[in-house]
Amino acid sequence: MANKKVTIKDVAKRSGVSITTVSQILNGKEDMFSQGTIEKVLEAKKELNYEPDYFARRMIMKKSKTIGVLVPDITNPFFGNLLRGIEKVLYRENFVAMFCNADMDEAKESEYLQELSRRGVDGFIIASSAVSNQAINDTLKKNSLPFIVLDQKKAEGISDAVLTDDFSGGRLAAQHLADLGHQMVAVVMPQNAPANIYKRYEGFSSIFPEAKIVNSDLSKQGGRQAAKEIIQRDFTGLFAVNDEIAFGLYLGLNEVGKHIPADYSVVGYDNIDMCEYVIPQLTTIAQPIFELGQTTAELLLERIQQPEKNWEEKMLSVQLVKRASTKKINQHT
């Protein structure tokens, strides 16, 4: 008897009301009942140490109160910050997030979409460019599942979206290097860049049409490798399309006896915490990462509540944060 699971029937019996009344009160519909009835039910729940059966509740409510979140690379601090913003909103609204790290792998992304769909999550946040529109159509749109795209994924009119102004960010980085007198500049970025990263390049090349591209993965290892090509050329200014690449450049250039900013001025992108902890502190384009996560979660929850409302696309602004990794080209040390 000690191991017998307490059921909603037991709570109803203890409080002297119907099972339906208990169910409605425990599912947030207290305004339909008197304060006395509510107190009796809550007291019985407490005395019996009753916990609702998650799966049975989902069958009745048709809601799991969970959100699937797909990110491309959990090791990048940008996504850690983003997830904190998402989780803060979901926690406040009594939702639980199921985080999936896709490792930049399109097949893995599609499998995650299908698995999360089978588990009955209420909505999806897709922060990775590897998820193809085909996978979205096959798994999400076909089953009318609410979803939102952000950061690396273009909405292309198929969902709500939260974006940051990548074109302006790239342009700000270029203008800063131009103001310091740099003319021989390079953008350090992936060969097949996601749409948002390419926007940063377009913004940069609107100031420097002749800017060269040095290929690099979106990682510290990528930046470290890119340093080998950079030292073969006559660059003085470098724009790393994320801070992770910039940190890799710090190490790669240091390994061949080059110094920042004496030999190369470096501008990063994202403004993750580590920018203030490296030497020299990194000049970078600050994205409102935490706010990006919060806005995304809020917009998705609105979509779940109002499935028929018009698509929304929100654009958040970025800004240049000047630190010590850039200097005027005519200064000598």
Side-chain angles (χ1 to χ4, degrees), residues 25 116 281 296 316 319:
I25 287 172
L116 289 167
Q281 291 184 327
T296 302
L316 305 180
Q319 63 187 51

Side-chain angles (χ1 to χ4, degrees), residues 29-285:
K29 296 180 179 173
E30 296 102 326
D31 53 351
M32 297 168 62
F33 304 95
S34 69
Q35 192 58 37
T37 302
I38 295 166
E39 285 171 7
K40 275 196 291 188
V41 169
L42 295 179
E43 187 61 33
K45 175 182 181 283
K46 188 177 175 185
E47 287 173 5
L48 294 169
N49 200 21
Y50 170 71
E51 288 297 334
D53 185 308
Y54 171 80
F55 293 104
R57 183 176 169 183
R58 190 184 189 293
M59 293 287 284
I60 297 162
M61 300 290 289
K62 308 292 188 217
K63 290 274 184 264
S64 64
K65 300 288 276 187
T66 57
I67 299 295
V69 184
L70 276 76
V71 297
D73 179 14
I74 200 70
T75 64
N76 183 340
F78 171 89
F79 291 105
N81 243 340
L82 185 78
L83 295 177
R84 280 182 53 242
I86 291 169
E87 192 270 340
K88 182 172 183 180
V89 171
L90 296 184
Y91 179 77
R92 185 184 74 210
E93 301 298 328
N94 295 316
F95 276 76
V96 171
M98 292 179 73
F99 297 128
C100 299
N101 178 41
D103 287 328
M104 310 278 190
D105 182 334
E106 193 169 319
K108 196 173 174 184
E109 301 265 359
S110 296
E111 284 170 24
Y112 270 143
L113 279 185
Q114 289 167 14
E115 187 56 41
L116 289 167
S117 177
R118 279 194 292 270
R119 289 176 186 236
V121 301
D122 295 326
F124 296 78
I125 293 172
I126 300 170
S128 173
S129 62
V131 182
S132 68
N133 286 349
Q134 184 66 43
I136 287 172
N137 282 325
D138 291 350
T139 304
L140 305 183
K141 289 184 79 69
K142 195 167 75 177
N143 297 307
S144 299
L145 295 167
F147 66 97
I148 188 167
V149 298
L150 82 162
D151 188 50
Q152 295 202 354
K153 181 73 184 164
K154 273 176 74 178
E156 294 170 353
I158 59 171
S159 79
D160 297 309
V162 184
L163 310 165
T164 57
D165 195 346
D166 292 297
F167 184 90
S168 289
R171 194 175 170 87
L172 283 170
Q175 191 59 60
H176 178 59
L177 290 174
D179 290 345
L180 294 173
H182 293 272
Q183 293 175 348
M184 302 297 291
V185 295
V187 182
V188 191
M189 63 184 281
Q191 194 162 13
N192 298 308
N196 68 318
I197 300 292
Y198 197 75
K199 276 273 181 219
R200 293 171 197 177
Y201 166 72
E202 288 180 330
F204 191 89
S205 58
S206 71
I207 302 283
F208 287 114
E210 304 300 313
K212 299 287 186 275
I213 294 176
V214 174
N215 291 326
S216 165
D217 293 338
L218 291 167
S219 65
K220 291 187 281 288
Q221 294 91 332
R224 186 182 184 183
Q225 286 295 317
K228 294 172 184 173
E229 182 181 340
I230 286 164
I231 60 168
Q232 307 298 323
R233 317 276 278 278
D234 294 326
F235 304 126
T236 62
L238 306 173
F239 172 41
V241 294
N242 72 1
D243 291 337
E244 290 281 280
I245 291 174
F247 299 147
L249 288 174
Y250 272 49
L251 179 58
L253 292 171
N254 182 263
E255 285 172 333
V256 291
K258 299 295 183 182
H259 302 285
I260 299 168
D263 298 307
Y264 299 96
S265 284
V266 177
V267 181
Y269 203 106
D270 285 337
N271 196 33
I272 61 176
D273 290 348
M274 278 301 294
C275 294
E276 294 187 77
Y277 291 87
V278 292
I279 299 173
Q281 291 184 327
L282 180 62
T283 295
T284 190
I285 305 300

Side-chain angles (χ1 to χ4, degrees), residues 316-333:
L316 305 180
S317 59
V318 298
Q319 63 187 51
L320 172 70
V321 178
K322 295 180 189 176
R323 296 196 181 97
S325 64
T326 52
K327 66 163 221 171
K328 281 192 172 177
I329 193 68
N330 59 1
Q331 286 180 337
H332 299 282
T333 54

